[in-house]
């Protein structure tokens, strides 16, 4: 593998090691922990060599379990079914085809010398669309189970019982867009949920999302969708985070072919599709899930105190078992190869990294990341997953949802990192919530805002965001609701806005602009938040009478030109257009021009774009000066423009010429003087 060759380059010390591994070279403060970093790197290399037979095969070859296990057509038109079930004493397939009875024809045989079971059947033994399960026997017990590698699982509308479904359509899906390369300059992610992506009070479908929502996303300028809740999950209200069948696309939204058509259509629109993948834990259910597949609760999961997640009511994978690594790596490959996903956002990475799952940990300094409380098996798995995904597709996108700040997460493997392309900048939404909740507008400090939106490791790319689905759930509040709250119900019609609504509209735009303007990798928005979708997300449950009222997106609000929502949606679209108009915006240096906490003014430059913010709620400034490169500047975006619900106090048609100052001649800088209304921001481009 090329990875090992890269790692062994530039050896200079007596023990044939480079003086410093790349992660430490980039951050000298990590030097006291270099041995731990090397140990993790060497652990991943050792496991990589073991799984690939010292490079005689690839990691992609290893991660092909879905081609072997589960139900498949064999070469003669018949069927073959296999399952890894080390603790089983007998296994039968039961289903529509045998009246759900154990019969000799459908009895599996253990493959000699292995923990694998197999059944071969003639073509007529089952048909596309029929339902089935395994009936598994073990010493002291028996139970019906959905196969671990099932690719299609459905729920009966009346009984609510889940079953696997034979899925072998006569015409496999024909991809129209056979190759696709994601745009990452920058990566603009629209986080979305298929089921709640429509106005109607029901579960939406893959087809409805493709027909109604994809065109909106493309028109808004996003170049990537991050799709939640794809892996099958028994409880809809879990938001897809309590997975039962890891290889089955949720049937409550439609068929596998309809999901493929959605992805294919997105690719034709130039939109990448990444999946919110859950490998951090699994649902506890035994009949639907992996909780007790064949009488051994620890087949896939850690034993003892580490078996259950103390906060999530779920089970924790044993990343030290090769069979579990095989299962999870094969899962990554399956979604990329079979569905053409462009990558993954890995959920719950913090929970995977630490024995404590990060619960109750402060993470105040580097020693907290190297104190022996880390799960080296999980770290190894995540590293291998990144190596595999990029072996499958060098342009793939991997994102870590991680809150502790573990160094190296989004650093290159050869530098001692985990190999993620990006990590979520989870500090930013926390900062905005804290600021809105705890500080008066007069106390907002531009220096703190600027520090927070660009607070990241120099060698790791991040995905910045103001709020994700987490801030929209019951028990929390979106930014727009924190700013306006109940006044949204009474004062969000044009002409009826009160001061609370006007403040909220202005700050909603400014918060988004300063966050997006400081990115070093990508920007994320959750579906509907771009136009200030009101209320929270509450999935159907017993406590709300199983209502879908709050598990939907009310697109009619942003489409109604009589309401204020479209101002926010229009601004979001224009903001993304301005950012992407600067070539490789995310790679340009964020150069501070000026900040003054007393005036609440912040200005910085990226490429030819100048961003100026006045966070003061009451003070406007005339002829406020900034030292910028000599030339002329034109306004390309103004949060205070009438078209975005502002007051239109400045004339944005004026070309601004810099004013000569002999002191700064050698620096090629002059004074740019602007009128900056209170609570507004403006973006100018150097002509």
């Amino acid at each position: 593998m090329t990875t090992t060759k890269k790692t062994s380059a530039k050896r200079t010390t007596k023990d044939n090691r480079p003086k410093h591994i790349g992660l430490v070279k980039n951050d000298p403060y990590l030097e006291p922990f270099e041995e731990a970093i090397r140990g993790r790197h060497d652990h991943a290399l050792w496991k990589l060599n073991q799984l690939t037979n010292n490079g005689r095969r690839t990691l992609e070859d290893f991660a092909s379990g879905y081609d072997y296990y589960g139900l498949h057509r064999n070469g003669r038109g018949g069927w073959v079914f296999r399952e890894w079930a080390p603790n089983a004493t007998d296994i039968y397939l039961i289903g529509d085809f045998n009246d759900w009875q154990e019969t000799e024809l459908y009895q599996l045989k253990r493959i000699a010398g292995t923990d694998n079971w197999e059944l071969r059947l003639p073509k007529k033994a089952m048909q596309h669309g029929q339902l089935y399960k395994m009936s598994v026997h073990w010493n002291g017990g028996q139970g019906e189970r959905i196969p671990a590698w099932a690719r299609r699982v459905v729920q009966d509308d009346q009984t609510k019982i889940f079953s696997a479904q034979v899925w072998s359509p006569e015409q496999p899906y024909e991809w129209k867009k056979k190759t696709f390369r994601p745009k990452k300059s920058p990566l603009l992610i629209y986080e979305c949920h298929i089921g709640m992506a429509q106005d109607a009070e029901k579960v939406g479908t893959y087809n409805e999302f493709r027909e109604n929502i994809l065109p909106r996303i493309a028109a808004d300028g996003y170049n990537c969708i991050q799709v939640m809740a794809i892996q099958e999950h028994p409880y809809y209200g879990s938001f897809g985070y309590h997975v039962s069948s890891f290889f089955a696309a949720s049937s409550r939204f439609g068929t596998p072919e309809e999901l493929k058509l959605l992805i294919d259509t997105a690719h034709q629109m130039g939109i990448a599709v990444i999946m919110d993948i859950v490998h951090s834990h699994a649902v506890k259910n035994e009949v639907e899930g992996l909780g007790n597949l064949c009488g051994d609760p620890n087949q896939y999961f850690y034993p003892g105190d580490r078996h259950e997640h103390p906060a999530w009511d779920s089970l924790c994978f044993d990343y030290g078992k090769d069979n579990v690594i095989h299962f999870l790596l094969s899962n990554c490959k399956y979604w990329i190869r079979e569905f053409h996903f462009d990558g993954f956002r890995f959920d719950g990475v913090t929970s995977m990294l630490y024995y404590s799952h990060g619960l109750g940990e402060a993470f105040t300094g580097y020693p907290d990341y190297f104190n022996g409380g880390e799960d080296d098996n999980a770290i190894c798995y995540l590293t291998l997953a990144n190596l595999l995904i990029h072996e499958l597709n060098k342009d793939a996108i991997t994102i870590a949802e991680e809150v502790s700040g573990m160094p190296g997460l989004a650093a290159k493997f050869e530098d001692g990192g985990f190999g993620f392309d990006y990590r979520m900048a989870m500090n930013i939404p926390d900062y905005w919530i804290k600021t809105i909740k705890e500080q008066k507008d007069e106390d907002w400090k531009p220096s703190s805002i600027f520090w927070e939106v660009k607070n990241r490791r120099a060698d790791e790319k991040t995905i910045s965001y103001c709020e994700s689905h987490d801030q929209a759930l019951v028990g929390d509040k979106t930014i727009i609701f924190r700013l306006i709250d109940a006044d949204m119900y009474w004062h969000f019609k044009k002409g009826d806005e009160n001061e609370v609504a006007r403040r909220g509209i202005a700050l909603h735009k400014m918060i988004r602009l300063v966050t997006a303007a400081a990115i070093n990798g990508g920007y994320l928005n959750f579906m509907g938040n771009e136009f200030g979708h009101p209320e929270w997300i509450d999935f159907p449950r017993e406590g709300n009478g199983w209502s879908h009222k709050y598990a939907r997106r009310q697109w009619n609000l942003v489409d109604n030109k009589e309401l204020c929502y479209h101002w926010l949606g229009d601004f979001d679209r224009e903001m993304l257009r301005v950012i992407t108009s600067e070539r490789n915006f995310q790679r340009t240096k964020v150069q501070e021009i000026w900040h003054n906490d007393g005036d609440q003014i912040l200005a910085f430059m990226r490429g030819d774009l100048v961003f100026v913010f006045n966070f003061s709620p009451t003070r406007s400034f005339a002829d406020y000066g900034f030292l910028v490169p000599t030339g002329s500047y034109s306004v390309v975006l103004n949060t205070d423009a009438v078209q975005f619900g502002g007051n239109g106090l400045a004339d944005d048609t004026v070309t601004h010429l810099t004013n000569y100052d002999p002191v700064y001649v050698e620096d090629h800088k002059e004074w740019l003087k602007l009128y900056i209304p209170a609570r507004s921001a403006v973006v100018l481009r150097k002509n």
Side-chain angles (χ1 to χ4, degrees):
M1 302 262 311
T2 55
T3 310
T4 52
K5 292 177 184 177
K6 288 180 182 177
T7 308
S8 61
K10 297 182 182 178
R11 305 282 184 177
T12 59
T13 58
K14 290 181 180 179
D15 62 352
N16 201 33
R17 288 184 170 191
K19 186 175 181 181
H20 289 303
I21 201 165
L23 200 59
V24 177
K25 190 185 301 181
N26 293 334
D27 183 357
Y29 289 103
L30 284 171
E31 191 168 342
F33 314 103
E34 183 159 11
E35 283 307 306
I37 293 168
R38 288 186 182 278
R40 295 172 181 177
H41 182 78
D42 291 344
H43 182 192
L45 271 181
W46 168 78
K47 180 58 72 174
L48 176 66
N49 287 329
Q50 177 193 333
L51 300 180
T52 62
N53 195 14
N54 292 316
R56 292 183 178 86
R57 62 176 179 174
T58 65
L59 201 54
E60 179 181 354
D61 294 332
F62 170 77
S64 299
Y66 63 90
D67 281 332
Y68 180 79
Y69 294 108
L71 181 65
H72 302 277
R73 290 277 194 185
N74 63 26
R76 298 181 297 278
W79 305 90
V80 58
F81 175 83
R82 300 186 188 94
E83 188 76 25
W84 173 56
N87 200 54
T89 57
D90 252 323
I91 304 178
Y92 297 85
L93 282 192
I94 58 174
D96 295 341
F97 38 75
N98 59 9
D99 294 325
W100 300 93
Q101 302 297 312
E102 295 181 356
T103 59
E104 186 176 349
L105 176 64
Y106 294 90
Q107 183 178 14
L108 279 70
K109 306 296 182 187
R110 184 188 286 268
I111 299 174
T114 75
D115 291 326
N116 298 325
W117 294 72
E118 182 180 80
L119 172 64
R120 293 184 177 273
L121 292 167
K123 181 178 181 180
K124 64 181 181 179
M126 57 179 64
Q127 297 176 5
H128 171 71
Q130 289 187 311
L131 305 180
Y132 71 100
K133 292 181 184 178
M134 299 188 302
S135 177
V136 186
H137 295 250
W138 57 86
N139 288 327
Q142 180 270 337
E144 294 183 0
R145 299 288 186 264
I146 290 178
W149 301 77
R151 298 193 188 189
R152 173 77 171 166
V153 175
V154 296
Q155 184 179 26
D156 185 273
D157 290 336
Q158 278 72 45
T159 65
K160 304 303 180 184
I161 292 174
F162 285 87
S163 301
Q165 186 174 34
V166 179
W167 200 256
S168 181
E170 289 187 13
Q171 294 295 327
Y173 183 80
E174 287 287 336
W175 292 89
K176 299 175 183 66
K177 185 78 172 175
K178 299 187 186 301
T179 59
F180 177 77
R181 187 174 185 179
K183 300 172 186 173
K184 304 177 188 176
S185 55
L187 189 64
L188 302 172
I189 303 173
Y190 200 81
E191 185 187 27
C192 49
H193 183 283
I194 302 296
M196 59 174 286
Q198 75 298 305
D199 278 291
E201 295 184 26
K202 68 181 186 69
V203 177
T205 67
Y206 296 124
N207 283 342
E208 288 171 328
F209 188 94
R210 171 178 53 82
E211 293 168 359
N212 303 325
I213 312 306
L214 271 181
R216 290 181 180 271
I217 296 169
D220 285 346
Y222 291 90
N223 56 28
C224 179
I225 56 174
Q226 177 185 304
V227 192
M228 308 171 68
I230 292 297
Q231 295 168 293
E232 192 60 86
H233 45 290
Y235 179 45
Y236 185 49
S238 76
F239 230 141
Y241 291 120
H242 275 195
V243 175
S244 53
S245 295
F246 286 77
F247 290 84
S250 183
S251 61
R252 54 171 59 87
F253 309 134
T255 68
E257 287 69 37
E258 289 166 346
L259 173 57
K260 290 176 181 178
L261 178 58
L262 187 163
I263 296 170
D264 202 2
T265 304
H267 286 169
Q268 292 173 69
M269 292 179 170
I271 298 173
V273 186
I274 60 175
M275 189 173 106
D276 203 342
I277 200 167
V278 183
H279 284 178
S280 48
H281 62 135
V283 74
K284 290 169 68 173
N285 299 34
E286 295 188 355
V287 175
E288 295 92 356
L290 304 175
N292 187 16
L293 195 69
C294 57
D296 178 9
N298 303 322
Q299 180 178 341
Y300 284 93
F301 308 104
Y302 278 123
D305 293 342
R306 301 185 61 197
H307 186 68
E308 292 192 21
H309 196 291
W312 294 349
D313 192 34
S314 54
L315 303 178
C316 302
F317 283 109
D318 185 344
Y319 306 103
K321 284 185 176 180
D322 285 355
N323 288 92
V324 174
I325 292 177
H326 183 233
F327 180 81
L328 296 175
L329 288 180
S330 296
N331 195 235
C332 294
K333 180 181 174 182
Y334 170 75
W335 292 109
I336 289 176
R337 283 285 184 257
E338 294 295 312
F339 285 85
H340 292 201
F341 276 100
D342 299 294
F344 306 100
R345 177 264 205 186
F346 278 76
D347 176 70
V349 169
T350 305
S351 176
M352 299 170 70
L353 295 180
Y354 305 98
Y355 296 135
S356 67
H357 304 292
L359 301 173
E361 303 275 1
F363 299 107
T364 57
Y366 280 173
D368 296 333
Y369 306 117
F370 305 98
N371 61 12
E374 306 81 42
D375 185 346
D376 287 342
N377 292 330
I379 290 172
C380 179
Y381 166 67
L382 288 169
T383 306
L384 293 176
N386 277 293
L387 289 173
L388 168 68
I389 292 163
H390 292 102
E391 183 180 304
L392 293 166
N393 179 3
K394 64 181 177 61
D395 296 314
I397 300 162
T398 59
I399 305 170
E401 189 232 13
E402 206 283 316
V403 71
S404 78
M406 169 69 78
L409 205 64
K412 296 177 181 178
F413 173 64
E414 54 264 35
D415 288 339
F418 291 48
F420 282 98
D421 296 297
Y422 307 90
R423 63 189 307 157
M424 302 291 290
M426 300 184 74
N427 59 298
I428 297 176
D430 290 344
Y431 172 80
W432 287 124
I433 291 169
K434 185 177 177 66
T435 299
I436 294 169
K437 281 176 64 175
E438 300 178 6
Q439 293 188 20
K440 294 183 298 183
D441 292 5
E442 293 82 0
D443 296 332
W444 286 28
K445 290 183 170 56
S447 59
S448 298
I449 292 170
F450 191 53
W451 187 87
E452 201 69 47
V453 295
K454 64 184 187 67
N455 175 26
R456 55 216 173 207
R457 297 181 59 79
D459 57 348
E460 300 188 48
K461 291 184 292 185
T462 59
I463 301 296
S464 299
Y465 62 109
C466 307
E467 53 189 341
S468 67
H469 71 274
D470 286 326
Q471 286 74 42
L473 293 167
V474 167
D476 208 335
K477 285 185 178 181
T478 59
I479 284 177
I480 199 69
F481 236 59
R482 289 187 185 280
L483 293 170
I484 304 178
D485 215 287
D487 283 301
M488 288 195 74
Y489 298 120
W490 312 107
H491 298 286
F492 231 58
K493 184 177 181 180
K494 288 182 181 179
D496 291 341
E497 312 97 288
N498 61 5
E499 184 53 37
V500 174
R502 283 190 285 270
R503 169 185 178 263
I505 290 169
L507 287 177
H508 191 271
K509 292 177 288 186
M510 293 182 71
I511 287 169
R512 277 166 160 66
L513 180 59
V514 73
T515 302
I519 61 174
N520 78 328
Y523 175 76
L524 176 141
N525 167 69
F526 177 66
M527 179 174 66
N529 284 358
E530 73 278 7
F531 65 83
H533 194 286
E535 302 172 334
W536 54 85
I537 297 167
D538 188 12
F539 282 93
R541 55 186 173 85
E542 189 174 1
N544 65 16
W546 303 103
S547 169
H548 287 81
K549 182 177 181 180
Y550 298 110
R552 61 186 178 125
R553 296 284 90 175
Q554 299 177 64
W555 305 106
N556 62 90
L557 297 176
V558 71
D559 292 341
N560 188 339
K561 300 303 180 183
E562 295 182 0
L563 302 179
C564 300
Y565 297 98
H566 89 84
W567 282 335
L568 301 179
D570 291 347
F571 175 80
D572 191 78
R573 183 184 309 113
E574 192 64 16
M575 177 184 75
L576 298 187
R577 188 196 66 77
V578 168
I579 285 174
T580 54
S581 69
E582 184 71 19
R583 183 175 175 82
N584 290 322
F585 176 84
Q586 78 286 1
R587 296 180 189 168
T588 58
K589 187 177 180 181
V590 182
Q591 298 175 287
E592 183 176 5
I593 296 172
W594 176 255
H595 81 262
N596 184 308
D597 286 345
D599 294 340
Q600 293 183 275
I601 297 288
L602 170 67
F604 58 90
M605 193 166 188
R606 300 198 71 168
D608 287 332
L609 295 177
V610 176
F611 298 85
V612 180
F613 298 83
N614 179 4
F615 286 98
S616 172
T618 57
R619 289 185 297 167
S620 299
F621 298 94
D623 292 330
Y624 203 104
F626 305 96
L627 275 172
V628 298
T630 302
S632 65
Y633 292 79
S634 299
V635 173
V636 292
L637 184 65
N638 192 338
T639 65
D640 194 49
V642 173
Q643 70 193 89
F644 305 131
N647 298 308
L649 297 177
D651 184 354
D652 293 338
T653 65
V654 173
T655 298
H656 298 269
L657 304 177
T658 56
N659 297 317
Y660 174 75
D661 189 327
V663 176
Y664 300 101
V665 169
E666 292 186 3
D667 296 329
H668 304 288
K669 289 185 177 181
E670 293 182 343
W671 291 98
L672 175 66
K673 295 193 174 183
L674 302 173
Y675 170 55
I676 321 169
R679 202 179 273 148
S680 73
V682 63
V683 186
L684 304 100
R685 183 188 303 281
K686 187 177 183 297
N687 296 316

